[in-house]
Amino acid sequence: MIEAGILDGDYAVIRRQDQADDGTIVVASIDGQATLKTLFRKKNRVELHAANPKYAPLVIVPPAQLRIEGVLTGVLRNLSSIR
């Protein structure tokens, strides 16, 4: 999530909820695997976009396969580990 300002070693602060607006960074569960991505709803699918241009969006069809577990509300960074 580099371009979202979330760096390696950061802690994501998540508020548990099962709904989210488009453009929100969410914890999404797909087939029991969790991921942190930006949510976009399209006509008959959901797309989850990484905040790193190296990774293509995950396209979920049908959208019912996706479960939103929570939304990102903040990031904690240990500044002593940055040198």
Side-chain angles (χ1 to χ4, degrees):
M1 300 295 295
I2 292 170
E3 295 199 9
I6 304 170
L7 306 177
D8 191 26
D10 287 353
Y11 292 93
V13 180
I14 306 297
R15 180 178 55 238
R16 184 178 265 306
Q17 63 186 62
D18 60 3
Q19 299 288 323
D21 295 328
D22 279 5
T24 302
I25 297 176
V26 300
V27 174
S29 177
I30 308 157
D31 296 328
Q33 299 292 316
T35 187
L36 187 66
K37 304 258 189 274
T38 304
L39 173 75
F40 294 99
R41 289 181 182 84
K42 305 292 180 170
K43 195 172 195 174
N44 62 347
R45 68 184 190 270
V46 172
E47 292 184 4
L48 297 173
H49 292 236
N52 184 333
K54 290 190 217 176
Y55 299 102
L58 295 174
V59 178
I60 315 300
V61 179
Q65 294 177 339
L66 172 81
R67 182 174 160 182
I68 296 171
E69 303 289 345
V71 298
L72 179 73
T73 60
V75 175
L76 298 175
R77 181 168 298 140
N78 182 350
L79 296 177
S80 66
S81 64
I82 299 174
R83 306 243 179 230

Short mmCIF file of all heavy atoms in Angstrom, two decimals, residues 1-57:
data_model
loop_
_atom_site.label_atom_id
_atom_site.label_comp_id
_atom_site.label_asym_id
_atom_site.label_seq_id
_atom_site.Cartn_x
_atom_site.Cartn_y
_atom_site.Cartn_z
N MET A 1 0.84 -1.19 0.00
CA MET A 1 0.00 0.00 0.00
C MET A 1 0.89 1.26 0.00
O MET A 1 0.56 2.27 0.61
CB MET A 1 -0.94 -0.01 1.19
CG MET A 1 -1.90 -1.19 1.27
SD MET A 1 -3.11 -1.31 -0.03
CE MET A 1 -4.13 0.11 0.21
N ILE A 2 1.98 1.17 -0.70
CA ILE A 2 2.97 2.25 -0.73
C ILE A 2 2.35 3.60 -1.09
O ILE A 2 2.58 4.60 -0.42
CB ILE A 2 4.09 1.89 -1.72
CG1 ILE A 2 4.90 0.71 -1.19
CG2 ILE A 2 4.98 3.07 -2.00
CD1 ILE A 2 5.88 0.14 -2.17
N GLU A 3 1.58 3.63 -2.15
CA GLU A 3 1.03 4.92 -2.60
C GLU A 3 -0.12 5.41 -1.72
O GLU A 3 -0.58 6.53 -1.90
CB GLU A 3 0.63 4.83 -4.07
CG GLU A 3 1.86 4.61 -4.94
CD GLU A 3 1.66 4.95 -6.38
OE1 GLU A 3 0.63 5.54 -6.73
OE2 GLU A 3 2.56 4.63 -7.15
N ALA A 4 -0.54 4.61 -0.76
CA ALA A 4 -1.54 5.06 0.22
C ALA A 4 -0.85 5.51 1.50
O ALA A 4 -1.50 5.84 2.48
CB ALA A 4 -2.53 3.93 0.52
N GLY A 5 0.49 5.51 1.49
CA GLY A 5 1.25 5.94 2.67
C GLY A 5 1.40 4.88 3.73
O GLY A 5 1.78 5.18 4.86
N ILE A 6 1.11 3.63 3.40
CA ILE A 6 1.27 2.52 4.34
C ILE A 6 2.55 1.79 3.97
O ILE A 6 2.66 1.23 2.88
CB ILE A 6 0.06 1.56 4.31
CG1 ILE A 6 -1.23 2.34 4.57
CG2 ILE A 6 0.24 0.44 5.33
CD1 ILE A 6 -2.49 1.54 4.33
N LEU A 7 3.52 1.82 4.86
CA LEU A 7 4.84 1.26 4.58
C LEU A 7 5.05 -0.08 5.27
O LEU A 7 4.34 -0.42 6.21
CB LEU A 7 5.92 2.25 5.03
CG LEU A 7 5.79 3.68 4.47
CD1 LEU A 7 6.88 4.56 5.05
CD2 LEU A 7 5.81 3.68 2.96
N ASP A 8 6.04 -0.80 4.80
CA ASP A 8 6.40 -2.08 5.41
C ASP A 8 6.71 -1.87 6.89
O ASP A 8 7.46 -0.96 7.24
CB ASP A 8 7.62 -2.66 4.69
CG ASP A 8 7.90 -4.09 5.05
OD1 ASP A 8 6.96 -4.80 5.45
OD2 ASP A 8 9.06 -4.51 4.94
N GLY A 9 6.08 -2.65 7.75
CA GLY A 9 6.28 -2.53 9.18
C GLY A 9 5.24 -1.68 9.88
O GLY A 9 5.18 -1.64 11.11
N ASP A 10 4.41 -0.96 9.13
CA ASP A 10 3.33 -0.16 9.71
C ASP A 10 2.22 -1.07 10.22
O ASP A 10 2.08 -2.21 9.77
CB ASP A 10 2.72 0.79 8.68
CG ASP A 10 3.62 1.97 8.35
OD1 ASP A 10 4.67 2.13 9.00
OD2 ASP A 10 3.27 2.70 7.42
N TYR A 11 1.44 -0.55 11.14
CA TYR A 11 0.25 -1.24 11.63
C TYR A 11 -0.99 -0.53 11.10
O TYR A 11 -1.12 0.69 11.26
CB TYR A 11 0.20 -1.24 13.17
CG TYR A 11 1.27 -2.08 13.79
CD1 TYR A 11 2.49 -1.51 14.16
CD2 TYR A 11 1.08 -3.43 14.01
CE1 TYR A 11 3.48 -2.28 14.73
CE2 TYR A 11 2.07 -4.22 14.58
CZ TYR A 11 3.27 -3.63 14.93
OH TYR A 11 4.25 -4.40 15.48
N ALA A 12 -1.86 -1.27 10.45
CA ALA A 12 -3.11 -0.70 9.95
C ALA A 12 -4.14 -0.76 11.06
O ALA A 12 -4.31 -1.79 11.71
CB ALA A 12 -3.59 -1.50 8.73
N VAL A 13 -4.83 0.35 11.28
CA VAL A 13 -5.91 0.42 12.27
C VAL A 13 -7.21 0.23 11.50
O VAL A 13 -7.53 1.01 10.59
CB VAL A 13 -5.90 1.76 13.02
CG1 VAL A 13 -7.04 1.81 14.03
CG2 VAL A 13 -4.55 2.00 13.68
N ILE A 14 -7.95 -0.83 11.85
CA ILE A 14 -9.14 -1.22 11.10
C ILE A 14 -10.37 -1.13 12.00
O ILE A 14 -10.35 -1.60 13.13
CB ILE A 14 -9.01 -2.67 10.59
CG1 ILE A 14 -7.73 -2.85 9.78
CG2 ILE A 14 -10.25 -3.10 9.82
CD1 ILE A 14 -7.65 -2.02 8.52
N ARG A 15 -11.43 -0.51 11.48
CA ARG A 15 -12.73 -0.52 12.17
C ARG A 15 -13.56 -1.63 11.55
O ARG A 15 -13.78 -1.66 10.34
CB ARG A 15 -13.46 0.81 12.02
CG ARG A 15 -14.83 0.81 12.74
CD ARG A 15 -15.57 2.13 12.64
NE ARG A 15 -15.75 2.56 11.27
CZ ARG A 15 -15.30 3.72 10.78
NH1 ARG A 15 -14.63 4.56 11.54
NH2 ARG A 15 -15.51 4.05 9.52
N ARG A 16 -13.99 -2.57 12.38
CA ARG A 16 -14.77 -3.70 11.88
C ARG A 16 -16.14 -3.22 11.41
O ARG A 16 -16.86 -2.57 12.15
CB ARG A 16 -14.95 -4.75 12.99
CG ARG A 16 -15.67 -5.99 12.49
CD ARG A 16 -15.81 -7.05 13.54
NE ARG A 16 -14.84 -8.08 13.59
CZ ARG A 16 -14.46 -8.88 12.59
NH1 ARG A 16 -14.93 -8.68 11.39
NH2 ARG A 16 -13.60 -9.84 12.75
N GLN A 17 -16.43 -3.50 10.14
CA GLN A 17 -17.75 -3.24 9.58
C GLN A 17 -17.87 -4.01 8.28
O GLN A 17 -16.86 -4.37 7.69
CB GLN A 17 -18.00 -1.74 9.37
CG GLN A 17 -17.08 -1.07 8.38
CD GLN A 17 -17.31 0.43 8.33
OE1 GLN A 17 -17.12 1.11 9.33
NE2 GLN A 17 -17.69 0.94 7.17
N ASP A 18 -19.09 -4.27 7.86
CA ASP A 18 -19.29 -5.11 6.68
C ASP A 18 -19.75 -4.34 5.45
O ASP A 18 -20.07 -4.93 4.43
CB ASP A 18 -20.26 -6.26 6.98
CG ASP A 18 -21.64 -5.77 7.41
OD1 ASP A 18 -21.87 -4.55 7.41
OD2 ASP A 18 -22.47 -6.63 7.74
N GLN A 19 -19.74 -3.01 5.51
CA GLN A 19 -20.12 -2.16 4.38
C GLN A 19 -19.03 -1.11 4.19
O GLN A 19 -18.39 -0.69 5.16
CB GLN A 19 -21.44 -1.43 4.67
CG GLN A 19 -22.62 -2.35 4.89
CD GLN A 19 -23.07 -3.02 3.61
OE1 GLN A 19 -23.05 -2.43 2.55
NE2 GLN A 19 -23.45 -4.29 3.70
N ALA A 20 -18.84 -0.69 2.94
CA ALA A 20 -17.86 0.37 2.66
C ALA A 20 -18.24 1.07 1.37
O ALA A 20 -18.83 0.48 0.47
CB ALA A 20 -16.47 -0.22 2.55
N ASP A 21 -17.87 2.35 1.27
CA ASP A 21 -18.11 3.14 0.07
C ASP A 21 -17.01 2.89 -0.95
O ASP A 21 -15.88 2.51 -0.59
CB ASP A 21 -18.14 4.63 0.42
CG ASP A 21 -19.29 5.00 1.32
OD1 ASP A 21 -20.36 4.36 1.22
OD2 ASP A 21 -19.12 5.92 2.14
N ASP A 22 -17.30 3.15 -2.22
CA ASP A 22 -16.28 3.07 -3.25
C ASP A 22 -15.13 4.01 -2.92
O ASP A 22 -15.34 5.11 -2.40
CB ASP A 22 -16.86 3.48 -4.61
CG ASP A 22 -17.63 2.36 -5.29
OD1 ASP A 22 -17.79 1.30 -4.68
OD2 ASP A 22 -18.05 2.57 -6.43
N GLY A 23 -13.93 3.55 -3.22
CA GLY A 23 -12.74 4.35 -2.96
C GLY A 23 -12.19 4.23 -1.55
O GLY A 23 -11.19 4.85 -1.22
N THR A 24 -12.83 3.41 -0.73
CA THR A 24 -12.40 3.20 0.65
C THR A 24 -11.41 2.04 0.71
O THR A 24 -11.58 1.03 0.02
CB THR A 24 -13.61 2.86 1.54
OG1 THR A 24 -14.55 3.93 1.46
CG2 THR A 24 -13.21 2.66 2.98
N ILE A 25 -10.38 2.18 1.53
CA ILE A 25 -9.45 1.07 1.75
C ILE A 25 -10.10 0.12 2.75
O ILE A 25 -10.50 0.54 3.84
CB ILE A 25 -8.09 1.56 2.26
CG1 ILE A 25 -7.42 2.45 1.20
CG2 ILE A 25 -7.18 0.38 2.61
CD1 ILE A 25 -6.12 3.08 1.62
N VAL A 26 -10.22 -1.13 2.35
CA VAL A 26 -10.93 -2.13 3.15
C VAL A 26 -10.06 -3.35 3.40
O VAL A 26 -9.11 -3.62 2.67
CB VAL A 26 -12.24 -2.59 2.45
CG1 VAL A 26 -13.19 -1.44 2.24
CG2 VAL A 26 -11.95 -3.32 1.15
N VAL A 27 -10.41 -4.08 4.45
CA VAL A 27 -9.94 -5.45 4.61
C VAL A 27 -11.03 -6.30 3.99
O VAL A 27 -12.18 -6.27 4.42
CB VAL A 27 -9.74 -5.83 6.09
CG1 VAL A 27 -9.39 -7.30 6.21
CG2 VAL A 27 -8.66 -4.97 6.72
N ALA A 28 -10.67 -7.02 2.93
CA ALA A 28 -11.63 -7.85 2.21
C ALA A 28 -11.20 -9.31 2.33
O ALA A 28 -10.02 -9.62 2.28
CB ALA A 28 -11.71 -7.45 0.75
N SER A 29 -12.18 -10.18 2.46
CA SER A 29 -11.92 -11.61 2.52
C SER A 29 -12.46 -12.26 1.25
O SER A 29 -13.62 -12.06 0.89
CB SER A 29 -12.62 -12.20 3.76
OG SER A 29 -12.44 -13.58 3.81
N ILE A 30 -11.59 -13.01 0.59
CA ILE A 30 -11.95 -13.74 -0.62
C ILE A 30 -11.48 -15.17 -0.44
O ILE A 30 -10.28 -15.41 -0.28
CB ILE A 30 -11.28 -13.13 -1.86
CG1 ILE A 30 -11.53 -11.63 -1.92
CG2 ILE A 30 -11.74 -13.83 -3.13
CD1 ILE A 30 -10.52 -10.89 -2.72
N ASP A 31 -12.42 -16.10 -0.44
CA ASP A 31 -12.07 -17.52 -0.24
C ASP A 31 -11.24 -17.73 1.02
O ASP A 31 -10.28 -18.49 1.02
CB ASP A 31 -11.34 -18.08 -1.46
CG ASP A 31 -12.20 -18.09 -2.70
OD1 ASP A 31 -13.43 -18.26 -2.57
OD2 ASP A 31 -11.64 -17.93 -3.80
N GLY A 32 -11.57 -16.99 2.09
CA GLY A 32 -10.87 -17.16 3.36
C GLY A 32 -9.54 -16.45 3.47
O GLY A 32 -8.88 -16.51 4.50
N GLN A 33 -9.10 -15.76 2.42
CA GLN A 33 -7.85 -15.01 2.43
C GLN A 33 -8.15 -13.52 2.57
O GLN A 33 -8.97 -12.98 1.82
CB GLN A 33 -7.06 -15.25 1.13
CG GLN A 33 -6.67 -16.69 0.92
CD GLN A 33 -5.64 -17.15 1.92
OE1 GLN A 33 -4.67 -16.45 2.21
NE2 GLN A 33 -5.85 -18.32 2.48
N ALA A 34 -7.48 -12.85 3.50
CA ALA A 34 -7.72 -11.42 3.72
C ALA A 34 -6.70 -10.59 2.95
O ALA A 34 -5.55 -10.99 2.79
CB ALA A 34 -7.63 -11.11 5.20
N THR A 35 -7.14 -9.43 2.49
CA THR A 35 -6.27 -8.50 1.79
C THR A 35 -6.70 -7.07 2.12
O THR A 35 -7.85 -6.82 2.47
CB THR A 35 -6.30 -8.75 0.26
OG1 THR A 35 -5.33 -7.93 -0.36
CG2 THR A 35 -7.67 -8.50 -0.33
N LEU A 36 -5.76 -6.15 2.02
CA LEU A 36 -6.01 -4.73 2.27
C LEU A 36 -5.91 -4.02 0.92
O LEU A 36 -4.83 -3.92 0.34
CB LEU A 36 -4.98 -4.18 3.25
CG LEU A 36 -5.17 -2.76 3.76
CD1 LEU A 36 -6.43 -2.66 4.61
CD2 LEU A 36 -3.96 -2.31 4.56
N LYS A 37 -7.05 -3.54 0.41
CA LYS A 37 -7.10 -2.95 -0.92
C LYS A 37 -8.18 -1.86 -0.97
O LYS A 37 -9.05 -1.80 -0.11
CB LYS A 37 -7.44 -4.00 -1.98
CG LYS A 37 -6.53 -5.19 -2.03
CD LYS A 37 -5.55 -5.09 -3.16
CE LYS A 37 -4.77 -6.37 -3.38
NZ LYS A 37 -3.60 -6.50 -2.57
N THR A 38 -8.15 -1.06 -2.02
CA THR A 38 -9.18 -0.05 -2.24
C THR A 38 -10.33 -0.67 -3.02
O THR A 38 -10.12 -1.32 -4.04
CB THR A 38 -8.60 1.16 -3.00
OG1 THR A 38 -7.48 1.67 -2.27
CG2 THR A 38 -9.65 2.26 -3.13
N LEU A 39 -11.54 -0.45 -2.53
CA LEU A 39 -12.75 -1.07 -3.07
C LEU A 39 -13.39 -0.20 -4.16
O LEU A 39 -13.54 1.01 -3.97
CB LEU A 39 -13.76 -1.25 -1.94
CG LEU A 39 -15.16 -1.73 -2.30
CD1 LEU A 39 -15.12 -3.22 -2.63
CD2 LEU A 39 -16.12 -1.47 -1.17
N PHE A 40 -13.75 -0.85 -5.28
CA PHE A 40 -14.50 -0.19 -6.34
C PHE A 40 -15.57 -1.15 -6.84
O PHE A 40 -15.26 -2.28 -7.22
CB PHE A 40 -13.61 0.23 -7.52
CG PHE A 40 -12.63 1.30 -7.16
CD1 PHE A 40 -11.32 0.98 -6.85
CD2 PHE A 40 -13.02 2.63 -7.10
CE1 PHE A 40 -10.41 1.96 -6.50
CE2 PHE A 40 -12.12 3.62 -6.76
CZ PHE A 40 -10.81 3.29 -6.45
N ARG A 41 -16.82 -0.71 -6.84
CA ARG A 41 -17.92 -1.52 -7.37
C ARG A 41 -18.16 -1.14 -8.82
O ARG A 41 -18.24 0.04 -9.14
CB ARG A 41 -19.18 -1.30 -6.55
CG ARG A 41 -19.10 -1.90 -5.18
CD ARG A 41 -20.41 -1.66 -4.42
NE ARG A 41 -20.32 -2.19 -3.08
CZ ARG A 41 -19.79 -1.55 -2.04
NH1 ARG A 41 -19.31 -0.34 -2.20
NH2 ARG A 41 -19.74 -2.12 -0.86
N LYS A 42 -18.28 -2.13 -9.66
CA LYS A 42 -18.60 -1.92 -11.08
C LYS A 42 -19.95 -2.57 -11.34
O LYS A 42 -20.59 -3.09 -10.44
CB LYS A 42 -17.51 -2.53 -11.97
CG LYS A 42 -16.11 -2.03 -11.67
CD LYS A 42 -15.93 -0.59 -12.04
CE LYS A 42 -14.50 -0.17 -11.71
NZ LYS A 42 -14.15 1.11 -12.22
N LYS A 43 -20.38 -2.58 -12.57
CA LYS A 43 -21.72 -3.05 -12.93
C LYS A 43 -22.05 -4.43 -12.35
O LYS A 43 -23.01 -4.59 -11.62
CB LYS A 43 -21.85 -3.07 -14.45
CG LYS A 43 -23.25 -3.18 -14.94
CD LYS A 43 -23.28 -2.98 -16.45
CE LYS A 43 -24.68 -2.74 -16.92
NZ LYS A 43 -24.73 -2.41 -18.32
N ASN A 44 -21.28 -5.45 -12.65
CA ASN A 44 -21.57 -6.81 -12.18
C ASN A 44 -20.37 -7.44 -11.50
O ASN A 44 -20.24 -8.66 -11.44
CB ASN A 44 -22.05 -7.68 -13.35
CG ASN A 44 -20.98 -7.81 -14.42
OD1 ASN A 44 -19.99 -7.08 -14.42
ND2 ASN A 44 -21.18 -8.72 -15.33
N ARG A 45 -19.48 -6.60 -10.99
CA ARG A 45 -18.27 -7.11 -10.35
C ARG A 45 -17.77 -6.11 -9.32
O ARG A 45 -18.23 -4.98 -9.26
CB ARG A 45 -17.19 -7.40 -11.38
CG ARG A 45 -16.64 -6.15 -12.04
CD ARG A 45 -15.63 -6.49 -13.13
NE ARG A 45 -14.93 -5.34 -13.60
CZ ARG A 45 -15.30 -4.55 -14.59
NH1 ARG A 45 -16.44 -4.80 -15.23
NH2 ARG A 45 -14.57 -3.52 -14.95
N VAL A 46 -16.81 -6.56 -8.53
CA VAL A 46 -16.12 -5.69 -7.59
C VAL A 46 -14.64 -5.74 -7.96
O VAL A 46 -14.12 -6.80 -8.31
CB VAL A 46 -16.32 -6.17 -6.13
CG1 VAL A 46 -15.44 -5.40 -5.17
CG2 VAL A 46 -17.77 -6.05 -5.73
N GLU A 47 -13.98 -4.60 -7.89
CA GLU A 47 -12.54 -4.56 -8.12
C GLU A 47 -11.86 -4.10 -6.84
O GLU A 47 -12.31 -3.17 -6.18
CB GLU A 47 -12.19 -3.62 -9.27
CG GLU A 47 -12.66 -4.11 -10.61
CD GLU A 47 -12.23 -3.21 -11.75
OE1 GLU A 47 -11.48 -2.23 -11.52
OE2 GLU A 47 -12.65 -3.49 -12.88
N LEU A 48 -10.77 -4.77 -6.51
CA LEU A 48 -9.93 -4.38 -5.39
C LEU A 48 -8.59 -3.94 -5.95
O LEU A 48 -7.89 -4.72 -6.60
CB LEU A 48 -9.76 -5.56 -4.42
CG LEU A 48 -11.03 -6.06 -3.76
CD1 LEU A 48 -10.73 -7.33 -2.97
CD2 LEU A 48 -11.64 -5.00 -2.87
N HIS A 49 -8.24 -2.68 -5.70
CA HIS A 49 -7.02 -2.12 -6.27
C HIS A 49 -5.94 -2.00 -5.20
O HIS A 49 -6.19 -1.45 -4.12
CB HIS A 49 -7.29 -0.73 -6.85
CG HIS A 49 -8.15 -0.75 -8.06
ND1 HIS A 49 -7.77 -0.19 -9.24
CD2 HIS A 49 -9.39 -1.27 -8.28
CE1 HIS A 49 -8.72 -0.36 -10.15
NE2 HIS A 49 -9.72 -1.01 -9.57
N ALA A 50 -4.76 -2.46 -5.54
CA ALA A 50 -3.59 -2.28 -4.67
C ALA A 50 -3.11 -0.83 -4.81
O ALA A 50 -3.34 -0.20 -5.84
CB ALA A 50 -2.48 -3.24 -5.09
N ALA A 51 -2.46 -0.32 -3.80
CA ALA A 51 -1.90 1.03 -3.87
C ALA A 51 -0.44 0.94 -4.30
O ALA A 51 0.40 1.70 -3.87
CB ALA A 51 -2.03 1.74 -2.53
N ASN A 52 -0.16 -0.01 -5.16
CA ASN A 52 1.16 -0.20 -5.73
C ASN A 52 0.94 -0.52 -7.21
O ASN A 52 0.31 -1.52 -7.53
CB ASN A 52 1.88 -1.34 -5.02
CG ASN A 52 3.31 -1.53 -5.49
OD1 ASN A 52 3.65 -1.21 -6.63
ND2 ASN A 52 4.15 -2.07 -4.62
N PRO A 53 1.44 0.31 -8.10
CA PRO A 53 1.16 0.12 -9.53
C PRO A 53 1.72 -1.18 -10.11
O PRO A 53 1.35 -1.56 -11.21
CB PRO A 53 1.80 1.34 -10.18
CG PRO A 53 2.78 1.86 -9.21
CD PRO A 53 2.28 1.48 -7.85
N LYS A 54 2.56 -1.87 -9.38
CA LYS A 54 3.10 -3.16 -9.85
C LYS A 54 2.04 -4.25 -9.89
O LYS A 54 2.21 -5.25 -10.56
CB LYS A 54 4.23 -3.64 -8.95
CG LYS A 54 5.50 -2.86 -9.02
CD LYS A 54 6.56 -3.63 -8.25
CE LYS A 54 7.48 -2.72 -7.51
NZ LYS A 54 8.45 -3.47 -6.71
N TYR A 55 0.96 -4.07 -9.13
CA TYR A 55 -0.06 -5.11 -8.99
C TYR A 55 -1.35 -4.74 -9.71
O TYR A 55 -1.87 -3.64 -9.53
CB TYR A 55 -0.35 -5.38 -7.51
CG TYR A 55 0.87 -5.86 -6.77
CD1 TYR A 55 1.59 -4.99 -5.96
CD2 TYR A 55 1.30 -7.17 -6.89
CE1 TYR A 55 2.73 -5.42 -5.29
CE2 TYR A 55 2.43 -7.61 -6.22
CZ TYR A 55 3.13 -6.73 -5.43
OH TYR A 55 4.25 -7.17 -4.78
N ALA A 56 -1.85 -5.67 -10.50
CA ALA A 56 -3.12 -5.47 -11.20
C ALA A 56 -4.27 -5.58 -10.21
O ALA A 56 -4.15 -6.26 -9.18
CB ALA A 56 -3.27 -6.53 -12.29
N PRO A 57 -5.40 -4.94 -10.51
CA PRO A 57 -6.58 -5.07 -9.64
C PRO A 57 -7.07 -6.52 -9.58
O PRO A 57 -6.93 -7.27 -10.54
CB PRO A 57 -7.63 -4.19 -10.33
CG PRO A 57 -6.87 -3.27 -11.21
CD PRO A 57 -5.64 -4.01 -11.62
#
